Amino acid sequence: MAAAEPMRDRILAAAVTVIRARGIVAATTKEIARGAGVSEGSLYNHFANKTALFAAALAEVTGTARTAMATLAGSAGQNTVEENLVRLAADMVRFYGELLPMTGPVLSDPELIAWLRENGPVKAQREAAAKAPARTRARTRGGQDETPPPGAPGGPPAGPPEGTTAGPVMGHTALIGYLKAEQRAGRLTADAPVPFIAAALLGGCQQHAFLTRLAGPDAVTAGAGLPAAPEEFAAALVRTVLAGHLPTR
């Protein structure tokens, strides 16, 4: 088992590289195998099929967003709400910039949409972690998983393991969980429309990444009137979405 892990890791890294360059539809198992330095048939010793391989590759990429959300959850009550959200927004602009070209074709693939709705990235990450040596598993203090469980302070709302809080909605619900924790602590006004703040923040990050990808950073600045740098954009976006929702001192 230990000897097989490096090959699986090479295949997964090659898959991420190829999908980043070509997108899901144009990526081929032949090119992935070539990038990993293995035979095409070897891919299926580690992944049941092409969809499973691509799912694992997307799980690797979406792991950056889950890490950002876990960091945000651990920041409840620390620093300022604005500082915490600026850090998250800058991370999410970069994440969407990487994710959009990979997943655009997913919108026309019912099988991959179903995988996303069934919480595929998280499941794939857990399966990979279960197979990995203990020393390589991502843990936080006390050996606990990074992401707070549903219903925990700063975590996503409690709900069924599969359903409305699973899949692509998890990032939104995790952000809502953080905002509600800050609301309970009095660091966000009691009447702040938390779901809409989360939607505006993440939607703004995605729009910035979308415009940058399609039009380029110069057009984002000249045409859209937005800073091209993620940190500068994040700071202005957070000030805007939080306007009127922070307690006055």
Side-chain angles (χ1 to χ4, degrees), residues 54-81:
F54 284 9
L58 287 177
E60 287 290 301
V61 175
T62 56
T64 61
R66 290 193 298 277
T67 298
M69 288 296 178
T71 300
L72 179 71
S75 300
Q78 301 175 20
N79 307 310
T80 68
V81 174

Side-chain angles (χ1 to χ4, degrees), residues 88-197:
L88 173 75
D91 287 343
M92 294 304 290
V93 167
R94 295 189 183 91
F95 165 68
Y96 286 129
E98 184 175 45
L99 185 70
L100 287 174
M102 294 178 66
T103 59
V106 169
L107 299 178
S108 62
D109 189 322
E111 187 176 1
L112 282 172
I113 287 177
W115 171 76
L116 285 170
R117 289 179 177 177
E118 293 167 2
N119 217 16
V122 173
K123 289 179 179 178
Q125 187 186 48
R126 287 173 180 165
E127 289 171 3
K131 295 177 182 177
R135 65 179 178 278
T136 66
R137 295 175 188 167
R139 299 285 180 177
T140 56
R141 294 183 302 274
Q144 299 299 311
D145 292 335
E146 287 184 345
T147 307
E162 311 300 337
T164 57
T165 62
V169 182
M170 282 298 291
H172 191 96
T173 56
L175 178 51
I176 289 174
Y178 163 78
L179 292 171
K180 286 187 174 180
E182 296 289 28
Q183 203 170 39
R184 289 191 296 271
R187 287 167 29 109
L188 201 62
T189 59
D191 61 349
V194 166
F196 294 94
I197 292 175

Side-chain angles (χ1 to χ4, degrees), residues 157-245:
E162 311 300 337
T164 57
T165 62
V169 182
M170 282 298 291
H172 191 96
T173 56
L175 178 51
I176 289 174
Y178 163 78
L179 292 171
K180 286 187 174 180
E182 296 289 28
Q183 203 170 39
R184 289 191 296 271
R187 287 167 29 109
L188 201 62
T189 59
D191 61 349
V194 166
F196 294 94
I197 292 175
L201 184 65
L202 295 179
C205 294
Q206 189 168 6
Q207 176 71 354
H208 189 280
F210 177 80
L211 291 175
T212 301
R213 179 72 181 181
L214 265 63
D218 291 342
V220 168
T221 300
L226 301 173
E231 286 82 6
E232 188 179 352
F233 169 76
L237 176 66
V238 169
R239 284 196 301 271
T240 301
V241 300
L242 288 183
H245 302 306

